[in-house]
């Protein structure tokens, strides 16, 4: 079994689970740090954490081209269906989407959620994703919250957490989050895309290494981290 995470920049990731592809928050077009092109991204599943433009990104184009199933909250699913994407699975925190090779459980996230056109985008979320023998947490956009301890009890091989500050937790709170989540490996996201979320990821990595039990990995945009 082999599982890897390709970080596309910002919160966008492509998971490879035994050769099958899951995209998360595929914001590539207009993403100043992304190296991949949307037309080259393939997926069977697209997981979305909320409706902001820097997360929905290229989802409509990719879903229409590939036929990927869009897994998102209820209100977002209605918006996708109204925009010509019929292959949608709608859920909300606590629920789990399952198929025969992976699952994704909606977790809470403290943030807001509206589409760029102003449509209400439901409640933001993260996901605990299982597949290929690995468990991965993608936090979405969120502040620190103490129930991260419950998410940590799931046994995380890898956690992707925002560190940019301003719209999400910053570095100080990310250290507290890692202590609650207890992942084996932690990857920072949602930083250095735009001026309000500039951070030094190497300074973050040094703090993670000295203050937590997790191994920090800072990929370059389009770099991959192997999980299993
Ligand atoms: Ni957001
Ligand atoms: Mn965001």
């Amino acid at each position: 079994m082999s599982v890897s995470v390709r970080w596309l920049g910002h919160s966008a990731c492509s998971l490879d689970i035994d050769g099958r592809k899951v995209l998360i928050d595929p914001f590539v077009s207009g993403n100043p740090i992304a190296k991949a092109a949307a037309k080259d991204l393939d997926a069977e599943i697209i997981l979305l954490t909320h409706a902001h433009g820097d997360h929905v990104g290229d989802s409509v184009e990719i879903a229409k081209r590939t036929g990927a199933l869009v897994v998102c909250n209820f209100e977002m699913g209605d918006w996708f269906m109204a925009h010509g994407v019929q292959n949608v699975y709608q859920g909300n925190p606590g629920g789990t989407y399952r198929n025969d090779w992976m699952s994704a459980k909606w977790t809470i996230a403290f943030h807001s959620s509206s589409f760029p056109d102003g449509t209400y985008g439901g409640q933001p979320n993260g996901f605990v994703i299982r597949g290929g023998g690995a468990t991965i947490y993608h936090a979405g956009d969120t502040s620190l919250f103490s129930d991260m301890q419950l998410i940590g009890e799931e046994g995380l091989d890898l956690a992707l957490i925002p560190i940019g500050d301003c719209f999400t937790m910053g570095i100080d709170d990310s250290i507290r989050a890692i202590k609650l989540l207890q992942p084996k490996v932690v990857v920072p996201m949602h930083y250095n895309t735009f001026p309000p979320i500039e951070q030094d990821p190497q300074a973050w990595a040094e703090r993670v290494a000295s203050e937590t039990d997790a191994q920090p990995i800072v990929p370059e945009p389009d770099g991959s981290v192997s999980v299993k």
Side-chain angles (χ1 to χ4, degrees):
M1 291 191 287
S2 90
V3 178
S4 64
V5 177
R6 177 182 167 202
W7 182 64
L8 301 169
H10 205 56
S11 300
C13 304
S14 173
L15 307 190
D16 184 311
I17 300 174
D18 292 327
R20 306 183 79 158
K21 299 288 196 296
V22 178
L23 281 169
I24 309 172
D25 288 357
F27 164 56
V28 171
S29 303
N31 177 341
I33 64 169
K35 295 200 171 94
K39 66 177 174 52
D40 298 326
L41 295 177
D42 206 359
E44 291 181 58
I45 309 284
I46 300 172
L47 304 177
L48 295 173
T49 65
H50 61 294
H52 288 156
D54 60 320
H55 298 260
V56 169
D58 300 290
S59 297
V60 169
E61 184 274 313
I62 296 168
K64 286 182 176 174
R65 174 171 51 79
T66 64
L69 176 69
V70 175
V71 175
C72 60
N73 76 31
F74 190 83
E75 290 78 5
M76 292 177 73
D78 285 353
W79 184 93
F80 273 95
M81 287 188 275
H83 287 75
V85 176
Q86 298 306 320
N87 196 19
V88 168
Y89 185 95
Q90 293 165 287
N92 263 326
T96 304
Y97 161 77
R98 294 179 180 86
N99 60 32
D100 62 1
W101 55 279
M102 59 80 72
S103 67
K105 179 159 78 173
W106 278 260
T107 61
I108 58 169
F110 288 89
H111 194 60
S112 57
S113 179
S114 54
F115 285 92
D117 67 8
T119 305
Y120 172 59
Q123 192 170 317
N125 55 269
F127 285 105
V128 172
I129 302 146
R130 293 183 201 279
T135 302
I136 295 168
Y137 171 54
H138 187 294
D141 280 4
T142 188
S143 65
L144 171 68
F145 55 91
S146 59
D147 285 356
M148 284 180 169
Q149 182 174 345
L150 298 178
I151 296 170
E153 288 171 5
E154 307 246 355
L156 305 177
D157 295 297
L158 183 139
L160 294 136
I161 61 171
I163 67 162
D165 212 332
C166 188
F167 304 111
T168 68
M169 58 181 154
I171 287 180
D172 285 344
D173 280 354
S174 81
I175 300 296
R176 300 167 72 192
I178 294 162
K179 289 176 180 172
L180 295 170
L181 293 166
Q182 298 279 325
K184 290 183 188 141
V185 173
V186 61
V187 172
M189 62 178 184
H190 213 273
Y191 71 94
N192 287 358
T193 324
F194 307 111
I197 56 172
E198 277 176 14
Q199 297 292 345
D200 178 350
Q202 297 309 330
W204 170 84
E206 284 168 26
R207 284 196 59 187
V208 173
S210 67
E211 297 175 39
T212 80
D213 296 326
Q215 178 194 357
I217 297 182
V218 180
E220 291 295 314
D222 220 22
S224 288
V225 177
S226 103
V227 187
K228 283 269 170 178

